[in-house]
Amino acid sequence: MTPTIDALTIADDAEDWRTAGFTVDDDGTCRIGTVRLELVGRDGSNGKRGIRRWSLRDAPRVTGGALITDLDGIRTTTSKRLPPEPAQHPNGSQRLDHLVITSADGATTAAAFEAGGWPLRRVRDADNFSIPMQQRFFRAGEVILELVAPTTPTHDRPTRLYGLAMVVADLEATARALGGLCNPIKDAVQPGRQLATLRTRDLDLSVPIIFMTP
């Protein structure tokens, strides 16, 4: 079976996510569609913020049958939990559209993902970066994995779970609700879709977040 994402562990405080219009349970879990965002706070993160690891359902096993703990440098655990019941969010978020992953060597990371059960769906040359970049796309259940890497490998940084794109019911309503916490709406790369970027630095969130039309 194709692996799907059970949870992403994020070194942010739950209250900061609530300020951004997300519903967060008392245990620090933010339920977005079929994915749990586990907000573990900044304490004990040794100064390392962002998405620290992921938990996968139907995750691949390494040679010998042991459970996988690392996927091209991404800390990985396995889960048998069923998908959560999605929460209702004041900012209108309905599901996680895609998870952005950065790598210094896209071909190597893509090979690891394919070996892990995610066939490569598409490769796109990106022209909105300061250096030539490529995007590779994989499907993990309802979530698209968007792998971003330099066209020429640099080998100067680890593979990283980086950013989140949320589908919202009404992008204009989301922008109004968030006011100055949200940048103006603009056209997305995907034809016919629009997006607005959350001003995460103003909220002390360590994960880039955009809101998108369906």
Side-chain angles (χ1 to χ4, degrees):
M1 297 181 66
T2 301
T4 58
I5 301 171
D6 169 55
L8 301 171
T9 300
I10 301 174
D12 281 346
D13 291 336
E15 197 56 41
D16 293 331
W17 280 68
R18 293 188 180 103
T19 301
F22 291 98
T23 297
V24 182
D25 299 334
D26 291 341
D27 65 355
T29 301
C30 178
R31 294 172 282 120
I32 304 285
T34 62
V35 177
R36 298 171 174 89
L37 307 182
E38 297 177 340
L39 307 174
V40 296
R42 287 167 287 185
D43 296 341
S45 63
N46 296 320
K48 296 181 180 179
R49 304 285 304 280
I51 307 173
R52 306 309 308 153
R53 58 184 178 272
W54 61 6
S55 174
L56 304 177
R57 306 182 194 93
D58 302 310
R61 292 177 179 266
V62 298
T63 302
L67 295 175
I68 190 169
T69 59
D70 181 288
L71 192 55
D72 195 40
I74 300 173
R75 292 175 59 194
T76 304
T77 59
T78 58
S79 174
K80 294 184 178 180
R81 293 188 297 186
L82 295 175
E85 183 69 24
Q88 299 293 317
H89 300 278
N91 63 26
S93 293
Q94 296 181 318
R95 61 178 174 84
L96 181 59
D97 184 81
H98 60 273
L99 166 64
V100 179
I101 300 156
T102 59
S103 169
D105 186 338
T108 297
T109 305
F113 281 12
E114 290 193 277
W118 292 312
L120 178 63
R121 297 294 187 91
R122 184 165 69 94
V123 180
R124 174 181 179 273
D125 291 324
D127 58 5
N128 55 335
F129 296 92
S130 58
I131 63 172
M133 303 285 280
Q134 286 186 323
Q135 296 164 295
R136 293 172 171 84
F137 299 92
F138 309 81
R139 172 69 73 169
E142 73 175 12
V143 181
I144 295 169
L145 305 181
E146 177 185 327
L147 172 62
V148 182
T151 302
T152 301
T154 58
H155 306 291
D156 61 348
R157 66 193 67 185
T159 304
R160 180 184 175 193
L161 302 172
Y162 179 71
L164 305 172
M166 313 288 185
V167 170
V168 297
D170 184 331
L171 186 57
E172 291 185 355
T174 296
R176 286 195 301 270
L178 292 172
L181 297 176
C182 194
N183 289 318
I185 294 172
K186 63 180 183 180
D187 290 337
V189 172
Q190 298 90 336
R193 301 183 74 181
Q194 292 185 306
L195 63 82
T197 305
L198 185 65
R199 298 175 66 89
T200 49
R201 290 187 180 181
D202 294 346
L203 291 157
D204 199 22
L205 302 184
S206 63
V207 180
I209 294 172
I210 64 173
F211 300 107
M212 300 189 69
T213 55

